[in-house]
Amino acid sequence: MSERELRVLASMKLLAFFEQQQLPAECTSRDDVERLLGLHAAKLLKASFDPPIRELSGEVYIARACVSEVTAEGFSALARARRQQPEHFDDRSPRRPRARRLSKIGDAAGEEKAGPA
């Protein structure tokens, strides 16, 4: 694999990690925060980042990111990555189903149809 492909794979594995986490979730690893910046720019996830810190050496980094959501585009990108390179994503657990949202009117209508027991 080329260096670029390895970077993309590392980013997709990080995205897969956050797909499995209860969000919002915090990240403080400098390497992972850098990857999250790219995933955020690509609109594969939503995250907020602490302001950059400039050290006396001149190095600039972001100490912390908080991932709030994996976007629909992120789920699509992960599905594509899993199809193309299943050997790198074989530890995947099933995706958690999203909760259904029902309005109060919908809930009441469902109760009326069920009738008394």
Side-chain angles (χ1 to χ4, degrees):
M1 282 189 150
S2 71
E3 186 177 331
R4 180 186 178 280
E5 290 171 326
L6 289 172
R7 283 195 316 264
V8 169
L9 180 60
S11 292
M12 295 311 294
K13 284 185 172 185
L14 183 63
L15 184 61
F17 171 78
F18 280 104
E19 175 193 32
Q20 302 299 317
Q21 300 304 304
Q22 182 176 349
L23 300 177
E26 187 176 280
C27 178
T28 57
S29 161
R30 285 189 189 185
D31 289 339
D32 288 347
V33 170
E34 289 290 323
R35 289 184 188 102
L36 288 173
L37 285 166
L39 293 168
H40 178 70
K43 299 187 186 310
L44 301 182
L45 58 76
K46 293 183 181 178
S48 58
F49 299 89
D50 284 356
I53 297 171
R54 181 178 303 272
E55 293 185 335
L56 294 176
S57 66
E59 181 184 7
V60 178
Y61 68 96
I62 296 174
R64 185 178 68 98
C66 184
V67 177
S68 57
E69 177 184 343
V70 175
T71 64
E73 292 86 356
F75 286 117
S76 294
L78 277 173
R80 210 170 26 257
R82 286 183 171 117
R83 279 193 309 272
Q84 292 172 353
Q85 298 178 318
E87 67 276 10
H88 295 291
F89 297 95
D90 58 358
D91 59 342
R92 180 179 180 239
S93 62
R95 182 174 161 195
R96 293 172 294 179
R98 292 188 176 183
R100 282 185 28 198
R101 294 184 186 168
L102 298 174
S103 67
K104 290 184 179 180
I105 294 171
D107 288 342
E111 290 173 9
E112 289 175 13
K113 289 180 184 177

